[in-house]
Amino acid sequence: SGASEGDLILLTIGTADSGGTMYQAGSALAQAITQEDHSIKVNISASTGSGMNVRSLESGEVDLALVSGDMASATGRMSFGLP
C-alpha cells in the first residue's frame, strides 16, 4: 500500500562501524533513497559488521542490512537448508 501525503516511511539500514566502507556505502544508499522519494526517511545503524547485521535483520531491528558476500551466502544456505 502506498503512503498518503504527509505519511513518512522510516527505514533503518544496518551498516558497520562508522569508520568503515560499509558505513559509507549505507550512507550513500540512504542519500539515494531519500533523494528519490521524500516520503522516506532513512536511519543508519552502525554495527560490529555482517554477523550483527544479519541478527538485527532477523529480529526486525533494521529493515535493510549490508553484509559481506560470504555471510550472505552462509545465511542463505542456513535459511534454505543447503549444504
Side-chain angles (χ1 to χ4, degrees), residues 6-75:
D7 287 346
L8 189 63
I9 299 166
L10 180 61
L11 293 177
T12 301
I13 301 175
T15 61
D17 65 78
S18 61
T21 57
M22 288 179 83
Y23 188 87
Q24 293 172 355
S27 294
L29 179 60
Q31 184 177 11
I33 290 170
T34 56
Q35 283 179 348
E36 183 66 28
D37 188 337
H38 298 292
S39 70
I40 301 175
K41 177 174 176 15
V42 181
N43 289 327
I44 302 298
S45 176
S47 74
T48 58
S50 294
M52 183 177 179
N53 287 345
V54 168
R55 290 187 297 278
S56 295
L57 190 58
E58 289 174 335
S59 71
E61 292 175 49
V62 298
D63 302 296
L64 305 167
L66 300 179
V67 299
S68 63
D70 59 339
M71 178 62 75
S73 178
T75 300

